[in-house]
Amino acid sequence: QLVAYEVKRMRAEEGNKQKILRHIKELAEKLYKNENPYPAVTMHKVQKPAEGCHLRLHQKPFPRLDEGTVQWIIDQATAKLQTAPPAVKAEKKCMVPSGPPIAAIMERNGNALANSARRLEVVRNCISYVFENKMLEAKKLFPAVLRAMKGRAARHCLTQELNLHVQQNRAVLDHQQFDFIVRMMNCCLQDCTAMDEHGIAAALLPLVTAFCRKLSPGITQFAYSCVQEHV
């Protein structure tokens, strides 16, 4: 119903905190009533007589109860209960129109998606610069790449891009390239969560055993020696 009817109202309220709060309160009440449709039964408290009240003067005697009248009242209440509707309300089903197309609601998220695409572009460009030995350009983008690694999409993008370079037989790096790639891998693994263990961390495993540098004739250092401390 919100999607169908309230989009215009929500747009009109943007920037006005009091209107938004009033709207939220109305929604909260509706949700509360939906979860608690039956008001709590109020119990009538019968007050206890005060101490020494039996010693008071002018005390009226308690009237005699007429058995017939009492029985009549009980019978009436029983009859009412038998004809009363069931306590559980029958669910009313209603059709809610689909409302505006989802694109109208997603407009606001457009910026977030654009930002995400820009981040991935930055990661791709930086890796390209590293492999093309354009170290000055790579250095400029490097802080942005490390920041982007907080997002899973960027981490996934890193593994894909590095995999492409391995397939092109560009796994043997010079010292500066090796340093850049290892720092990216470390940052990527540092921001990984348990959910990434079988995705991003697993995708990095073959890469860390592929990328290497020559330290001296006959001695090669692989990237895993620099990233193996991660959980």
Side-chain angles (χ1 to χ4, degrees):
Q1 280 176 334
L2 271 179
V3 171
Y5 302 126
E6 306 276 328
V7 173
K8 279 182 188 168
R9 180 180 166 182
M10 284 156 87
R11 285 235 177 99
E13 284 172 0
E14 270 180 10
N16 188 331
K17 280 188 183 175
Q18 275 154 342
K19 276 187 182 175
I20 292 171
L21 279 174
R22 199 184 318 130
H23 193 183
I24 290 170
K25 267 187 186 167
E26 284 169 22
L27 275 178
E29 276 170 28
K30 277 184 198 170
L31 289 169
Y32 184 80
K33 278 176 188 166
N34 189 54
E35 295 296 318
N36 307 281
Y38 309 112
V41 180
T42 51
M43 300 298 284
H44 296 290
K45 287 183 182 174
V46 180
Q47 288 183 333
K48 282 184 182 177
E51 280 179 37
C53 66
H54 59 284
L55 302 172
R56 283 186 201 146
L57 301 172
H58 316 300
Q59 199 166 14
K60 285 182 185 176
F62 192 81
R64 257 191 88 76
L65 295 178
D66 176 32
E67 196 179 333
T69 312
V70 170
Q71 192 55 50
W72 179 77
I73 292 167
I74 291 169
D75 291 343
Q76 271 207 323
T78 312
K80 256 188 195 172
L81 279 174
Q82 280 167 352
T83 57
V88 179
K89 278 196 286 186
E91 247 183 65
K92 280 184 187 173
K93 290 182 180 175
C94 65
M95 286 295 291
V96 177
S98 59
I102 206 80
I105 298 158
M106 292 296 284
E107 271 170 25
R108 286 187 218 161
N109 299 341
N111 286 344
L113 291 170
N115 282 344
S116 179
R118 271 202 296 275
R119 281 194 199 118
L120 300 189
E121 196 56 40
V122 165
V123 173
R124 288 193 193 100
N125 288 344
C126 187
I127 293 169
S128 297
Y129 290 147
V130 169
F131 284 96
E132 288 162 16
N133 256 321
K134 296 178 179 173
M135 291 307 170
L136 200 63
E137 279 87 345
K139 242 178 209 170
K140 284 177 193 167
L141 293 182
F142 203 64
V145 170
L146 298 189
R147 276 197 303 277
M149 286 300 138
K150 299 239 176 278
R152 182 177 291 176
R155 297 198 288 271
H156 188 62
C157 176
L158 176 79
T159 61
Q160 285 180 318
E161 289 297 307
L162 293 179
N163 194 41
L164 288 174
H165 288 289
V166 168
Q167 288 167 4
Q168 293 165 13
N169 293 325
R170 296 169 80 180
V172 181
L173 311 170
D174 67 27
H175 296 304
Q176 218 174 353
Q177 287 173 323
F178 186 82
D179 183 50
F180 269 98
I181 297 303
V182 161
R183 280 167 70 189
M184 281 187 207
M185 285 174 167
N186 266 322
C187 190
C188 177
L189 286 167
Q190 183 181 311
D191 289 314
C192 275
T193 61
M195 287 165 73
D196 298 320
E197 190 177 334
H198 303 295
I200 289 152
L204 274 177
L205 270 178
L207 300 174
V208 296
T209 56
F211 286 108
C212 61
R213 63 174 167 180
K214 299 265 185 246
L215 293 178
S216 63
I219 297 175
T220 305
Q221 181 188 15
F222 285 89
Y224 68 79
S225 63
C226 304
V227 300
Q228 60 194 5
E229 299 304 314
H230 293 278
V231 181

